[in-house]
Amino acid sequence: DAGVTQSPTHLIKTRGQHVTLRCSPISGHKSVSWYQQVLGQGPQFIFQYYEKEERGRGNFPDRFSARQFPNYSSELNVNALLLGDSALYLCASSFLTGVQPQHFGDGTRLSIL
Amino acid sequence: QQPVQSPQAVILREGEDAVINCSSSKALYSVHWYRQKHGEAPVFLMILLKGGEQKGHEKISASFNEKKQQSSLYLTASQLSYSGTYFCGTGYNQGGKLIFGQGTELSVKP
């Protein structure tokens, strides 16, 4: 079975632009979480979605938004990009919400110039 | 609120043991352990819930000390494949939000 898939794998943008990152969860998984990982640090929680509803939000500005679709795939949108948004963005899926093993995708490497 | 992991880095010879600690200043509900190799996604290892249980399989196990708000990951008879960065992710309620530590870099040498 396919794991969590994310697209694109790499992306280069300039300051002020907008970006959309995509995630397809493992088949049967209904919850998707987004994390930002800066080099040398642990993943930082951005959002969790379950059954198309936001179930948790981390300490990120309103420039960050996300949504989950009826097929449980998800998009992360970031507006007005800043240099500090350069990071690896990870998507993780789990069967349900709550205390569940989260399975990560390989991430999208976002570079802001 | 970010959990503190120790040590920050450790170098082992094949066959040696290691312990990685994860401490929280806030009451924990769950602790999740992951291993991430360079350039790859974090891989789930195990979850521990409050109650002081110990879990594990083969040579990797973990414990949860509720009194100390601490979890420890035990790697015994280390193998080259154990190399990577180990992260603990802490949960403070029944929700799915995890706060990850800064990671412990483990290198196993032949």
Side-chain angles (χ1 to χ4, degrees):
Chain A
D1 285 341
V4 177
T5 58
Q6 292 187 243
S7 64
T9 54
H10 294 85
L11 203 51
I12 299 175
K13 292 284 188 179
T14 57
R15 283 178 294 175
Q17 286 189 309
H18 162 270
V19 68
T20 298
L21 310 180
R22 295 178 174 82
C23 171
S24 293
I26 292 172
S27 177
H29 283 193
K30 299 180 180 180
S31 180
V32 169
S33 297
W34 287 96
Y35 292 86
Q36 180 194 67
Q37 187 175 28
V38 175
L39 192 64
Q41 297 182 20
Q44 189 171 358
F45 177 80
I46 310 176
F47 287 110
Q48 184 186 53
Y49 276 79
Y50 176 68
E51 293 283 11
K52 297 176 289 180
E53 290 189 2
E54 182 182 304
R55 289 300 188 98
R57 184 182 185 114
N59 189 25
F60 279 81
D62 291 342
R63 298 185 296 109
F64 288 77
S65 63
R67 55 179 175 169
Q68 187 178 33
F69 299 100
N71 66 353
Y72 303 111
S73 67
S74 178
E75 283 183 355
L76 175 70
N77 294 284
V78 187
N79 293 324
L81 289 166
L82 303 174
L83 293 177
D85 295 331
S86 294
L88 179 67
Y89 288 84
L90 294 164
C91 172
S93 76
S94 58
F95 181 58
L96 299 171
T97 186
V99 183
Q100 295 270 310
Q102 296 189 22
H103 300 275
F104 285 84
D106 288 335
T108 294
R109 173 72 62 188
L110 177 64
S111 298
I112 310 301
L113 303 179
Chain B
Q1 191 172 337
Q2 182 183 33
V4 176
Q5 289 185 231
S6 62
Q8 289 188 324
V10 59
I11 299 174
L12 299 174
R13 292 287 181 187
E14 257 186 308
E16 292 182 336
D17 301 341
V19 180
I20 299 172
N21 297 307
C22 175
S23 297
S24 173
S25 59
K26 188 178 170 183
L28 289 166
Y29 186 84
S30 63
V31 180
H32 307 227
W33 285 98
Y34 289 82
R35 177 173 60 214
Q36 185 176 31
K37 293 182 182 284
H38 183 69
E40 299 181 9
V43 173
F44 171 76
L45 295 176
M46 65 188 78
I47 293 175
L48 299 99
L49 296 176
K50 68 175 185 177
E53 65 176 290
Q54 183 150 352
K55 293 185 73 172
H57 49 90
E58 295 184 351
K59 298 173 183 176
I60 300 178
S61 62
S63 64
F64 186 165
N65 187 321
E66 196 173 346
K67 283 186 178 179
K68 292 185 178 180
Q69 298 306 325
Q70 177 178 303
S71 177
S72 297
L73 184 71
Y74 306 95
L75 301 104
T76 58
S78 59
Q79 306 168 11
L80 295 176
S81 62
Y82 287 3
S83 293
T85 301
Y86 289 78
F87 292 100
C88 67
T90 51
Y92 298 94
N93 51 46
Q94 294 178 332
K97 177 180 177 179
L98 294 180
I99 308 297
F100 283 90
Q102 79 279 17
T104 295
E105 188 172 357
L106 180 77
S107 298
V108 181
K109 308 291 185 183

